[in-house]
Amino acid sequence: MSTLTKPNHIGRKISRIRELRDMKQEALAQALGTNQQAVSAIENSETIDEDKLIEIAKVLGVSVEAIKNFSEENMINYFNTFHDTDFSNSQGAFSQNHECSFNALDKVVELYERLVQVEKDKIEYLEKLHNLK
């Protein structure tokens, strides 16, 4: 392993999890009640105080153990699942098999139906406005 890669650099692990969650530093900062510069400092820190780590884990939607045991391979496997799991009783942070907790096609149909309804409501509203003139 090269000297550039530090496997226990908690800040880098937090940064990568945040990126996998498609979250910007500003969003994490807001959720933590701080600013983007503070989040940047956290992500550049090799170690982080346990209380702050608990708070960050909660915001990111992962366990503290998941952050501490982070690896690219494990995180990709974890984020390819569609529901959160309590990792506190598992052998390793990511050793469980996961199943999708919803039917993706049903979700697409549901969103399409909502979109169609919004469009109908918009047309109805515009027709009422037009009739008032």
Side-chain angles (χ1 to χ4, degrees):
M1 184 172 286
S2 78
T3 56
L4 297 176
T5 306
K6 295 182 178 181
N8 292 322
H9 194 289
I10 294 295
R12 286 196 193 115
K13 293 177 180 186
I14 290 169
S15 173
R16 189 64 182 120
I17 293 168
R18 176 184 56 75
E19 290 167 355
L20 287 167
R21 286 287 198 196
D22 199 25
M23 181 185 283
K24 298 204 176 290
Q25 282 185 338
E26 293 84 5
L28 180 56
Q30 185 176 11
L32 294 172
T34 189
N35 58 35
Q36 182 271 327
Q37 290 83 2
V39 170
S40 180
I42 288 169
E43 291 181 354
N44 286 315
S45 298
E46 198 165 331
T47 60
I48 296 173
D49 131 343
E50 191 72 18
D51 290 337
K52 182 57 84 176
L53 189 57
I54 291 168
E55 191 178 350
I56 292 168
K58 197 175 291 185
V59 170
L60 291 175
V62 297
S63 68
V64 172
E65 292 78 23
I67 294 173
K68 289 179 178 179
N69 296 325
F70 173 86
S71 76
E72 283 293 321
E73 182 180 334
N74 288 340
M75 290 309 286
I76 289 169
N77 290 338
Y78 172 73
F79 282 106
N80 280 337
T81 64
F82 295 98
H83 62 280
D84 292 328
T85 302
D86 177 15
F87 292 104
S88 60
N89 294 326
S90 63
Q91 295 273 353
F94 304 101
S95 64
Q96 298 176 352
N97 290 328
H98 300 288
E99 295 177 15
C100 184
S101 60
F102 61 88
N103 183 331
L105 186 56
D106 287 344
K107 290 291 182 185
V108 170
V109 170
E110 178 185 332
L111 289 172
Y112 178 76
E113 288 172 347
R114 286 174 50 193
L115 177 64
V116 168
Q117 185 60 49
V118 166
E119 288 299 314
K120 286 179 181 177
D121 293 346
K122 182 171 75 174
I123 290 169
E124 183 180 320
Y125 175 74
L126 291 172
E127 285 175 348
K128 283 181 184 178
L129 271 177
H130 182 68
N131 290 335
L132 290 176
K133 292 182 179 180

